[in-house]
Structures are given as C-alpha cells and as structure tokens.
Amino acid sequence: MTEAYIYDAIRSPRGKGRADGALHEVTALALSAQVLDALATRNGISGPVIEDVIWGNVTQIGEQGGCLARSAVLASGLDEAIPGLSINRFCASGLEAVNLAALQVQGGGGHGYIAGGVEMMGRVAMGSDGAAIAVDPSLAMKTYFVPQGISADIIATQYGFTRDQADALAVESQRRAALAWAEGRFDRSVIPVRDRNGLMILGRDEYMRPATDMQTLGALKPAFAEMGEVMPGFDKVALMKYPHLERIRHIHHAGNSSGIVDGAAAVLVGDAAFGQRLGLKPRARIRATARIGTDPTIMLTGPVPVTERILAGSGLTIRDIDLFEVNEAFAAVVLLFQQAFDLDPARVNVNGGSIAMGHPLGATGAIILGTLLDEMERQDKDLGLATLCVASGMGAATILERV
C-alpha cells in the first residue's frame, strides 16, 4: 500500500461567531480561498498537481452550499482543472476530509490532495439546514433524539462527572491556549485573514478568555437545564432511554462548552512522489484512520470506541501514543476519554482546545490534526492521535507518525 504523508497544515485564526466578530463580513467561500491560496503559496503548488480538494463544512446551505469545495477552488488561485468535493460528517468533517484524502493516496487514487474545511457560524447558523434526526418525528422518536448539550449532561450523569471537574478542565483549556499563543506555538500554522486590500482582519484566535477562573465559571447557570427540564422537556426523553438514571444533572454552560466561531483549515496530503516533485519533505505519515457509529442519544461518546478501533487496527496500544487531541465539544467528552484510557491530562490537548478557542464545525478536525502535528514536533514525539465526537452518535480518529 502506498504511504500517505502530511506535508503541511495551516489554519486561520478563529473569530467570534457573532455579528461583532472580526470575521463576520468574510464568507465561507472567501475564507476557504484564502486558506487554499496560502497553502499553495507556501508549498509551491501550481498547475493541476492536486488530484482533488476535499473540504468539510457542516451547514451546507445558502453561501455554504452548492459544493463549496469546488467554488473555493474556482475562487482561489488553484488550477481550474482541480475538482472539489464537499463532505459532511458533522464535527469530524475536517478530519474525515484528511482521512479520505489519505485513503485515496494509499489506494492509488492520485498523488496529492488538499483536505480540510470551513465553517462561518456567525453567518450561517448551526442547524439552519435542518437535520432529519432533529426535525423528522419518525426518526427523532425512534432514536430518542436530544440536543447535544443534553447529551453532554447525560455523559456527566452516567459517568459521575461533576460541575467542578468540568469547570476545572475549562479553566485549564484557557490557561493552555493563552500560554501556547504567548510562546508562539501556533506561529507556524496560523495564517492571518486579510481583506481585499491586503489589510489584516484577524491574526490570532479571538474567542479566548484567559482571565477565566473557577469563580467566573461558577457564576454561570447551566445552559441546558431549561430545555431539559421545562420546555420541551428533553430530560424525559433521555430518561425513557436510560431509566436507570434518576435524573439528568445539568453541569454544562457556555464556559465549559465549545465556542461558536468562524474559521478554516487545510492540510496537504500526498505520497512520496508528490513530495519529490514539489521538493517537499513530509512531516508525518498518516498511520491509521477510523470511524464508528455509536448510541445517538448520548451521542458524544464516540472518541472512546473509535480510539479502541483504530488502536486495534493499527496494532498499537494506548500507551504507544505520545500525545492526544480530543475535541473539546463539551468538557464531559474529554473527561470521559481521559477516564476511559486512564490518561495523564498533561498528554491531552496540550495547547488548549475548543472550549478556549472555539469550534468552527467543518474545520475543527483539520485544525486539531495540525495542532497535534505541531506539538509532536515541538516535543519531539513519535505518535499522536486526534479524535472527535460527532453528532447523531459517531466518532472519528486519525493516528500520525512522525517521519
């Protein structure tokens, strides 16, 4: 089998996903084109040397619809002979774009790919495309559908995680992210977003709140208690599925959940011949990829079984992995992962995560993969694993090996 390598990984800063966010006036198309152009310029890409651009974006409607991947190629400086493929595996879309590119290379389907994703959550609201599992009663009732925040609180209830544990993880995420920026750990990967005149709009992650402490978070009310307990009463739905739970304990809020932000990321994937042609040195080998389906009600437990699957398939154990990136969709997701594998928290999300910097849905998977690779190089580590929970009950994972 042909080896698939990562040659480069870049991302935009993450802007607040609101009308007053720095990137609010930037469309998904424009941001995608900027990231593609930056990756091409850094790596001397010209002509039709890329087999395909595989681009994740979750809310595929309006300006984020219509095969955004192909539109982004045409809006960028890439050769028009390069096609584009838009994919949606919810929060893991950016990672699965990279995984698909790697599988294509490994299977002989071309030499070089660009993979990644984008989400402009301040412009295209999450859920505005409509999802059958949420809006079609025939499926919602069958699957005992509840919103993700309720699912996170179910995890906390099921596995005994407390509000203080969740808040402490959030405070640490903020501390690590601030330290990473202060020490320049993101300098290699983050490319500034510029306007049409070339003036910088945003050069660093905008969402961070480094002054966050336990007292600040302690003052916040649980975000999902009302929808769970009062209207429309999703706790009752959950308890029908999990009758062994007396009640759902609501511990998540805006401070220990991922932030709504705008952002994009791109990864350059290719075989050895691709790198030789462009004079590029591979940074890592994509050792293994995996995906899995899980219980759609509790929904967010996927990182655990997909990690078990990818380790079994690659002949590795959890102790072989040096560093982990586990998307901080909600604090309980990371707490469960650490508990399940008895991990030292110092090896997980070393530079903070989505609680501190935000979660641009279609881009996050590619972002954390790049962050993982940067940190593996900084610490001179050999193996790293990136994984995300996924809406509707799924998980995705990738193992990188330094070369």
Side-chain angles (χ1 to χ4, degrees), residues 210-299:
T212 298
D213 56 24
M214 292 294 287
Q215 290 70 34
T216 303
L217 297 185
L220 299 177
K221 295 181 179 180
F224 310 104
E226 185 172 353
M227 72 169 60
E229 298 168 357
V230 182
M231 183 178 177
F234 283 111
D235 283 6
K236 293 180 180 179
V237 177
L239 293 174
M240 290 173 63
K241 180 74 173 284
Y242 312 112
H244 61 284
L245 302 177
E246 292 185 5
R247 64 182 182 88
I248 307 301
R249 291 187 299 106
H250 295 284
I251 71 165
H252 288 92
H253 49 75
N256 60 27
S257 307
S258 57
I260 293 175
V261 296
D262 305 323
V267 179
L268 185 60
V269 179
D271 60 13
F274 176 78
Q276 291 166 3
R277 180 178 178 181
L278 273 68
L280 302 174
K281 182 180 178 181
R283 296 174 62 188
R285 176 168 70 102
I286 298 177
R287 173 93 177 242
T289 68
R291 67 285 313 148
I292 202 167
T294 63
D295 178 344
T297 308
I298 202 169
M299 194 185 308

Side-chain angles (χ1 to χ4, degrees), residues 287-359:
R287 173 93 177 242
T289 68
R291 67 285 313 148
I292 202 167
T294 63
D295 178 344
T297 308
I298 202 169
M299 194 185 308
L300 308 174
T301 57
V304 173
V306 80
T307 296
E308 293 170 341
R309 172 174 285 187
I310 200 171
L311 290 172
S314 59
L316 297 169
T317 71
I318 199 72
R319 301 305 165 197
D320 293 321
I321 307 299
D322 298 305
L323 295 170
F324 299 86
E325 281 289 325
V326 183
N327 186 40
E328 294 176 352
F330 299 89
V333 174
V334 182
L335 291 171
L336 176 61
F337 189 86
Q338 293 175 168
Q339 179 191 81
F341 297 108
D342 189 25
L343 292 176
D344 179 354
R347 297 164 59 201
V348 182
N349 300 347
V350 173
N351 298 303
S354 292
I355 288 174
M357 293 174 283
H359 175 21

Side-chain angles (χ1 to χ4, degrees), residues 12 32 43 49 75 82 112 118 140 158-159 163 187 197-198 220 244 254 268 285-286 302 307 334 358-359 372:
S12 74
S32 297
N43 294 281
V49 297
I82 300 170
V118 68
Q158 172 82 6
Y159 294 95
R163 167 76 179 258
D187 288 354
N197 298 313
L220 299 177
H244 61 284
L268 185 60
R285 176 168 70 102
I286 298 177
T307 296
V334 182
H359 175 21
L372 176 64

Side-chain angles (χ1 to χ4, degrees), residues 287 316 320-323 376 381-384 399-401:
R287 173 93 177 242
L316 297 169
D320 293 321
I321 307 299
D322 298 305
L323 295 170
M376 289 168 64
K381 299 297 186 181
D382 294 323
L383 290 169
I399 293 176
L400 298 183
E401 181 177 17

Side-chain angles (χ1 to χ4, degrees), residues 13 31-32 35 77 127 135 164 176 182 215 264 268 321 324 356 368 374 390:
L31 187 60
S32 297
V35 171
V135 303
D164 280 351
R176 293 183 182 188
Q215 290 70 34
L268 185 60
I321 307 299
F324 299 86
I368 68 171
D374 285 345
V390 185

Side-chain angles (χ1 to χ4, degrees), residues 168-190:
L169 187 145
V171 170
E172 181 64 6
S173 181
Q174 296 283 354
R175 186 194 72 81
R176 293 183 182 188
L179 179 63
W181 270 107
E183 293 188 349
R185 298 183 192 177
F186 299 133
D187 288 354
R188 177 174 184 173
S189 298
V190 174

